Amino acid sequence: MIADMPSREFSINLLDEYIESENLRDHCKMVAKAMEAYAGSLDKTDLEVDKWWTAGLLHDLDWEKFPDEHPNRAVNHILPPLGYPADVLHAIKAHAPERTGKSPESEIERYLFACDELAGFMNAVALMRPTGFSGMKVSSVRKKMKDKRFAANVPREDIEKGAELIEKELTDHIAFMIGIFENS
Ligand SMILES: [Fe+2]
Ligand SMILES: [Fe+2]
């Protein structure tokens, strides 16, 4: 445990307590992994890396139990008394601007927004492939994005907007994410 942050183990237990769906837990862990990797690539301190990972892990904490209040329930009621820092709460809030009125501004907020929908979409692509993420090509992810019927629930404009927010070409963002998930 670093400084005043709840430990990773504590956060994993919290996730298990609130989420029964294996798929949703896996999604949360994927986003945590992506956030951790991006924080590392930006030379963040250990504490910051932990915060980025934690924001990724807990961003959908209340989705299963409180779908109508997501993510407000988590950021206003569940997480604050447990000692999660404000920047983690703000990032979770900003991953759903249409529900919270908070748009992604700080770095951790922008990266969480950028990783969330893309991770979900790429997981759908991986599930269609016999080898999962291994050998996945950026071009096939982009092709699937154009197929409106594929993973129709994932808003393509949020994926595009995410890449813009972190000032990356979408191609580079996808390639970075493949690199993470291929090796995990
Ligand atoms: Fe969400
Ligand atoms: Fe999510």
Side-chain angles (χ1 to χ4, degrees), residues 9-71:
E9 191 188 0
F10 182 89
S11 295
I12 291 271
N13 287 338
L14 192 65
L15 191 78
D16 290 346
E17 184 188 321
Y18 275 88
I19 301 176
E20 272 173 45
S21 154
E22 200 72 40
N23 286 342
L24 183 54
R25 275 193 229 167
D26 284 350
H27 165 70
C28 294
K29 287 175 189 168
M30 281 181 72
V31 178
K33 226 167 245 169
M35 288 294 283
E36 178 178 44
Y38 267 127
S41 80
L42 295 164
D43 287 329
K44 298 291 174 191
T45 62
D46 289 350
L47 174 60
E48 284 297 311
V49 173
D50 262 9
K51 285 182 177 181
W52 285 48
W53 178 90
T54 302
L57 189 80
L58 300 179
H59 79 280
D60 280 338
L61 182 73
D62 56 2
W63 173 248
E64 193 178 271
K65 286 200 197 300
F66 307 96
D68 298 337
E69 294 172 70
H70 168 73

Side-chain angles (χ1 to χ4, degrees), residues 2-158:
I2 309 167
D4 289 328
M5 272 280 286
S7 69
R8 290 191 179 208
E9 191 188 0
F10 182 89
S11 295
I12 291 271
N13 287 338
L14 192 65
L15 191 78
D16 290 346
E17 184 188 321
Y18 275 88
I19 301 176
E20 272 173 45
S21 154
E22 200 72 40
N23 286 342
L24 183 54
R25 275 193 229 167
D26 284 350
H27 165 70
C28 294
K29 287 175 189 168
M30 281 181 72
V31 178
K33 226 167 245 169
M35 288 294 283
E36 178 178 44
Y38 267 127
S41 80
L42 295 164
D43 287 329
K44 298 291 174 191
T45 62
D46 289 350
L47 174 60
E48 284 297 311
V49 173
D50 262 9
K51 285 182 177 181
W52 285 48
W53 178 90
T54 302
L57 189 80
L58 300 179
H59 79 280
D60 280 338
L61 182 73
D62 56 2
W63 173 248
E64 193 178 271
K65 286 200 197 300
F66 307 96
D68 298 337
E69 294 172 70
H70 168 73
N72 294 303
R73 181 85 186 191
V75 294
N76 294 328
H77 298 283
I78 304 171
L79 297 173
L82 300 174
Y84 286 95
D87 38 2
V88 170
L89 302 182
H90 291 157
I92 294 175
K93 216 171 166 179
H95 94 274
E98 73 292 350
R99 287 164 165 262
T100 61
K102 159 105 185 81
S103 42
E105 288 158 328
S106 73
E107 214 174 22
I108 184 174
E109 292 165 8
R110 290 183 282 113
Y111 273 84
L112 181 59
F113 187 95
C115 291
D116 179 24
E117 299 288 6
L118 182 58
F121 184 80
M122 288 175 63
N123 193 47
V125 175
L127 290 171
M128 302 277 298
R129 308 179 74 249
T131 55
F133 281 101
S134 170
M136 185 184 284
K137 294 216 165 49
V138 173
S139 55
S140 59
V141 176
R142 299 211 65 153
K143 203 167 144 198
K144 285 282 181 205
M145 278 183 67
K146 289 192 190 115
D147 178 354
K148 297 271 182 292
R149 285 162 307 171
F150 180 80
N153 59 326
V154 180
R156 311 306 203 249
E157 60 277 14
D158 280 355

